[in-house]
Amino acid sequence: MNVEDYIKHACSQHQKMLAVLLDPEELLESESICQIGSHIREHRPDFVFVGGSTFFESPDALISQLRNYTGDIPIVIFPGHPAQFTPAADALLFLSLISGNNPDMLIGQQAASARKIKESGIETISMGYILVDGGRESATARITGTRPLSASDPERIADTALAGEMLGLHLIYLEAGSGALHPARGSLIRSVRRFIRVPLIVGGGMHSAAEAEAAWGAGADIVVIGNHLEEFPADLALFVEARNKMNTHQKL
Ligand code: 1GP
């Protein structure tokens, strides 16, 4: 099953998913790859996302090391820069930063890399990427030269997500920014969820299984955890346990 079909199938069963985000820049040492890798092998999140805002090379080396641990868990490129594209991954989130007004991030970089990506044959999943204010300036805002949407304007955020869906994007990612002080609030996630049917990914600033549960409970389909697991890889067990608990409740 390809990655998009896996996501659609899980959503149709009301099953929640967990992605671990690994930043190639933070994981250059094989010792830290081994640490997080062994927790991934043991606890099995649904996906490993690879990407970062300040890494401008192919993450091939990281991916080939990760393969020793991930088994059949898909490795998905979540690119912070076109140079991060590599056909060594299982799929690519082909994203457009629809919260901002930088044409290069909306369509420019996508057009520049589309042919190469198509020719590689990698699975691509189109995604509307919406940056919301997480309480401090994010690397994404700085590097893309865009401003996040105000978290206190849920209507505008929901309208942006809806427009992304109506434009044909297959996923929406609500991003509070890596290392956000405040993850996206439940009320915000709910207001986006009400408007869209496509799968909803939520990430940025989550440090506890309770925060992940709150996001899933409010309507996120996939929760993404990055920084926290880089620092405390053993906590992956807690996030997976929370996902499993959510999914057991959904089935009852
Ligand atoms: C960033 O949403 C992801 O793109 C994850 O953020 O690193 O803060 O978990 P954190």
Side-chain angles (χ1 to χ4, degrees):
M1 197 186 294
N2 70 21
V3 172
E4 187 168 1
D5 287 343
Y6 177 101
I7 295 171
K8 281 189 188 155
H9 178 74
C11 289
S12 73
Q13 304 294 307
H14 309 289
Q15 296 290 290
K16 303 299 184 180
M17 291 160 275
L18 175 69
V20 174
L21 171 63
L22 301 179
D23 184 338
E25 197 178 38
E26 305 289 333
L27 275 182
L28 293 175
E29 292 165 25
S30 53
E31 200 185 318
S32 40
I33 297 173
C34 171
Q35 271 194 16
I36 185 71
S38 45
H39 290 288
I40 288 170
R41 177 160 56 201
E42 185 178 349
H43 299 294
R44 299 191 56 80
D46 296 273
F47 309 104
V48 174
F49 287 179
V50 170
S53 312
T54 50
F55 186 77
F56 307 110
E57 298 163 39
S58 159
D60 269 352
L62 170 63
I63 291 176
S64 72
Q65 288 200 59
L66 278 174
R67 292 279 185 208
N68 297 321
Y69 304 95
T70 50
D72 60 353
I73 299 169
I75 298 179
V76 179
I77 299 287
F78 170 36
H81 186 272
Q84 289 171 22
F85 164 66
T86 166
D90 297 301
L92 168 80
L93 298 173
F94 194 62
L95 62 90
S96 178
L97 181 62
I98 59 175
S99 54
N101 57 3
N102 180 343
D104 203 33
M105 302 295 155
L106 281 163
I107 190 65
Q109 293 194 350
Q110 296 79 350
S113 46
R115 192 177 310 184
K116 183 171 146 205
I117 292 170
K118 183 85 181 170
E119 284 171 1
S120 78
I122 193 171
E123 178 189 356
T124 56
I125 311 171
S126 61
M127 182 171 90
Y129 189 44
I130 301 177
L131 183 61
V132 301
D133 183 10
R136 71 163 164 222
E137 190 192 43
S138 64
T140 305
R142 198 171 57 248
I143 284 168
T144 62
T146 68
R147 292 169 63 87
L149 298 180
S150 165
S152 51
D153 191 355
E155 265 187 39
R156 173 145 182 232
I157 295 169
D159 287 345
T160 304
L162 178 61
E165 178 178 285
M166 290 169 70
L167 283 165
L169 298 170
H170 288 194
L171 303 174
I172 295 292
Y173 192 132
L174 199 55
E175 168 73 271
S178 184
L181 290 181
H182 321 292
R185 280 196 308 268
S187 56
L188 173 60
I189 298 169
R190 259 189 297 279
S191 63
V192 171
R193 177 77 279 169
R194 264 201 297 277
F195 279 88
I196 61 166
R197 289 166 164 245
V198 295
L200 177 61
I201 307 179
V202 176
M206 287 193 218
H207 291 281
S208 69
E211 286 171 327
E213 273 177 56
W216 282 314
D221 297 296
I222 303 176
V223 162
V224 183
I225 312 290
N227 280 301
H228 184 85
L229 291 174
E230 280 173 12
E231 207 176 335
F232 306 103
D235 281 1
L236 180 57
L238 305 176
F239 288 98
V240 168
E241 193 186 328
R243 176 204 63 185
N244 293 347
K245 197 172 82 188
M246 290 292 300
N247 289 343
T248 312
H249 284 163
Q250 297 277 3
K251 276 186 184 156
L252 294 177

